[in-house]
């Protein structure tokens, strides 16, 4: 699989914009906005394009702050394994709107819907939200849905 981007818009009050997947992999789960890099794009270009497609927000690549790199490993299907760059975004333009893929909503950090997110998100997302830049690996089970192991390491402060 091609590498992916993931963007979490953050308001000044600390709330986080998430999107609930309406179709495809991760159906029904809340997540940041992002997807697969296209030929000729930088990862930042990919992140900006996916953000606009999925929730209508316009961002400049330079406004994205890289806060993590994760490798998502699927031992039963190596073609699915891929790297992902996670960004926080504090400046954007546009009006938030749902797309055919994502239903956006704001959440306070204290009320993030971890029970309806990918299992490992409840570990790495709080690390990033507390100011750590991280690298890590998430190992998925054969079903491609459940996490069987993970490793996250703080590599700096954001």
């Amino acid at each position: 699989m091609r590498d992916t981007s993931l963007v979490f818009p953050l308001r000044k009050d600390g709330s986080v914009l998430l999107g609930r997947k309406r179709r495809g992999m991760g159906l029904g789960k809340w997540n940041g906005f992002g997807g697969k890099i296209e030929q000729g794009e930088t990862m930042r270009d990919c992140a900006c394009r996916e953000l606009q497609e999925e929730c209508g927000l316009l961002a400049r690549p330079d406004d994205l702050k890289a806060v993590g790199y994760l490798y998502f490993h699927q031992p039963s299907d190596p073609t699915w394994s891929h790297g992902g760059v996670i960004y926080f975004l504090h400046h954007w333009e546009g009006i938030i709107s749902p797309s055919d893929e994502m239903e956006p909503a704001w959440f306070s950090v204290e009320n993030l819907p971890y029970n309806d997110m990918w299992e490992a998100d409840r570990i790495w997302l709080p690390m990033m939200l507390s100011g750590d830049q991280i690298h890590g690996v998430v190992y998925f089970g054969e079903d491609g849905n459940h996490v069987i192991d993970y490793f996250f390491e703080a590599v700096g402060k954001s």
Side-chain angles (χ1 to χ4, degrees):
M1 179 182 275
R2 296 181 306 246
D3 287 346
T4 61
S5 64
L6 196 58
V7 181
F8 292 90
L10 302 171
R11 288 196 298 211
K12 289 180 182 178
D13 67 4
S15 56
V16 181
L17 185 65
L18 299 176
R20 183 172 29 210
K21 284 283 285 187
R22 293 178 153 183
R23 63 178 167 90
M25 186 175 177
L27 178 67
K29 293 185 186 302
W30 290 96
N31 202 351
F33 302 90
K36 299 176 194 95
I37 193 167
E38 299 291 339
Q39 187 173 2
E41 284 184 320
T42 67
M43 190 56 73
R44 289 174 182 273
D45 291 338
C46 169
C48 291
R49 175 183 51 78
E50 290 283 351
L51 181 69
Q52 183 179 11
E53 290 174 2
E54 293 181 352
C55 74
L57 294 182
L58 302 170
R60 295 180 324 160
D62 290 345
D63 286 335
L64 295 167
K65 181 171 184 148
V67 293
Y69 176 81
L70 300 177
Y71 187 77
F72 301 97
H73 187 56
Q74 171 55 292
S76 66
D77 182 4
T79 64
W80 183 89
S81 298
H82 65 282
V85 179
I86 294 89
Y87 298 101
F88 284 169
L89 177 68
H90 297 279
H91 306 285
W92 59 83
E93 294 180 8
I95 297 172
I96 297 166
S97 58
S99 66
D100 62 340
E101 187 170 354
M102 298 288 263
E103 174 189 338
W106 288 102
F107 293 90
S108 68
V109 171
E110 300 80 24
N111 292 311
L112 290 172
Y114 287 118
N115 289 336
D116 295 318
M117 295 172 76
W118 291 100
E119 292 174 22
D121 292 8
R122 66 190 72 168
I123 309 299
W124 61 261
L125 186 54
M127 291 175 72
M128 291 179 192
L129 288 169
S130 72
D132 288 330
Q133 291 179 329
I134 69 165
H135 288 177
V137 181
V138 179
Y139 298 90
F140 285 88
E142 286 188 29
D143 65 1
N145 191 41
H146 292 93
V147 173
I148 57 173
D149 201 3
Y150 56 83
F151 169 79
F152 304 117
E153 174 182 31
V155 295
K157 290 292 184 185
S158 55

